[in-house]
């Protein structure tokens, strides 16, 4: 909820959010068990994937909730990466969201060097992702491979890099603002200066 609130603040408007986990949770399918009939399995996936695709295509945008900020859990999950893959295919806008505490932690890291950004971007690898059900992971990786695994990884990294760039620019402005404030003499110091009078 903090990330959704922060997104409203950053976009300066009240947004409507669709949380697909409440209406199409893949774990519900896993609880049904894997059908022995491969055709039934294919039909199950087709139904779920079509609903998932429409839930991303219709609004035309997706917000990634990245927690914890130094190694986002969702970027290691096959289904989460698949949702990003759908956004990529339907050309939906992808934004990254962080909780306020994470933004502050990132700002502290960014004022030192860019190692934090490089380390975070290097964690993105669809082939290293995991899923509760092995057939889910196999199906998702097959689709991503068909589009190009490196192209997909690059797409996710670019979206994350853009969001981190916004945080970096905000950090730079705040640091410069603090420096400017510290360089402005206080009214008290100005008043204590002896007045000079020219003849």
């Amino acid at each position: 909820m903090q990330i959704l609130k922060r997104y409203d603040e950053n976009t300066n408007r009240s947004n409507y959010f669709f949380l697909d986990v409440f209406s199409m949770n893949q774990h519900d399918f896993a609880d049904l068990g894997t059908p022995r009939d491969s055709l039934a399995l294919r039909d199950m996936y087709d139904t779920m994937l079509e609903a998932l695709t429409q839930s991303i295509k219709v609004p035309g945008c997706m917000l990634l909730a990245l927690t914890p900020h130094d190694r986002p859990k969702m970027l290691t999950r096959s289904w989460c990466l698949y949702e990003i893959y759908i956004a990529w295919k339907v050309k939906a806008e992808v934004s990254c969201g962080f909780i306020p505490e994470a933004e502050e932690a990132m700002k502290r890291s960014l004022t030192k060097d860019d190692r934090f950004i490089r380390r975070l971007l290097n964690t993105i690898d669809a082939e290293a992702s995991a899923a509760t059900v092995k057939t889910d992971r196999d199906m998702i990786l097959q689709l991503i491979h068909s589009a190009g695994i490196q192209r997909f990884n690059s797409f996710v990294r670019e979206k994350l890099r853009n969001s981190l760039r916004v945080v970096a620019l905000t950090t730079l402005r705040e640091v410069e603002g603090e420096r400017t404030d510290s360089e402005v003499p206080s009214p008290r110091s100005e008043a204590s200066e002896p007045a000079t009078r020219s003849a």
Side-chain angles (χ1 to χ4, degrees):
M1 293 305 296
Q2 285 182 307
I3 291 177
L4 302 186
K5 181 179 179 182
R6 191 67 169 170
Y7 185 77
D8 277 348
E9 293 172 352
N10 291 338
T11 57
N12 196 30
R13 66 173 185 264
S14 295
N15 297 278
Y16 290 94
F17 298 96
F18 173 74
L19 306 179
D20 57 13
V21 69
F22 294 130
S23 61
M24 54 184 76
N25 191 337
Q26 71 270 19
H27 297 294
D28 293 339
F29 286 87
D31 291 341
L32 296 175
T34 303
R36 296 180 181 179
D37 183 355
S38 60
L39 182 59
L41 178 63
R42 184 70 262 171
D43 288 344
M44 182 182 74
Y45 279 131
D46 287 345
T47 298
M48 181 166 54
L49 297 183
E50 178 59 25
L52 189 58
T53 298
Q54 291 303 313
S55 72
I56 296 170
K57 183 177 181 179
V58 172
C61 57
M62 173 189 289
L63 175 62
L64 308 180
L66 301 182
T67 57
H69 70 281
D70 54 342
R71 188 174 178 82
K73 184 73 173 177
M74 67 161 296
L75 296 180
T76 68
R77 305 301 299 173
S78 299
W79 274 109
C80 295
L81 291 177
Y82 181 70
E83 292 185 38
I84 301 174
Y85 165 79
I86 293 175
W88 180 35
K89 296 295 287 184
V90 303
K91 295 181 171 53
E93 177 186 345
V94 177
S95 301
C96 300
F98 308 92
I99 61 174
E101 292 80 0
E103 287 188 2
E104 292 304 316
M106 286 189 292
K107 289 175 183 178
R108 289 193 294 272
S109 299
L110 292 171
T111 55
K112 298 176 183 178
D113 52 53
D114 63 350
R115 284 183 297 177
F116 167 76
I117 293 180
R118 294 201 306 270
R119 185 172 65 252
L120 181 56
L121 294 177
N122 287 336
T123 65
I124 299 171
D125 182 5
E127 287 189 301
S129 64
T132 304
V133 180
K134 182 181 181 300
T135 52
D136 288 358
R137 181 180 182 276
D138 294 342
M139 178 273 298
I140 291 167
L141 285 182
Q142 182 180 359
L143 289 170
I144 293 177
H145 269 291
S146 67
I149 194 77
Q150 293 304 322
R151 288 180 59 209
F152 174 77
N153 286 339
S154 296
F155 170 79
V156 179
R157 290 191 187 107
E158 182 61 24
K159 292 303 177 182
L160 183 55
R161 185 182 292 109
N162 289 342
S163 293
L164 291 173
R165 187 177 296 124
V166 172
V167 175
L169 290 174
T170 302
T171 302
L172 181 60
R173 285 195 296 266
E174 290 178 352
V175 171
E176 290 179 343
E178 291 172 358
R179 289 175 179 170
T180 301
D181 291 341
S182 65
E183 293 172 356
V184 176
S186 65
R188 180 177 296 180
S189 63
E190 290 181 348
S192 64
E193 289 290 328
T196 58
R197 180 178 178 181
S198 59

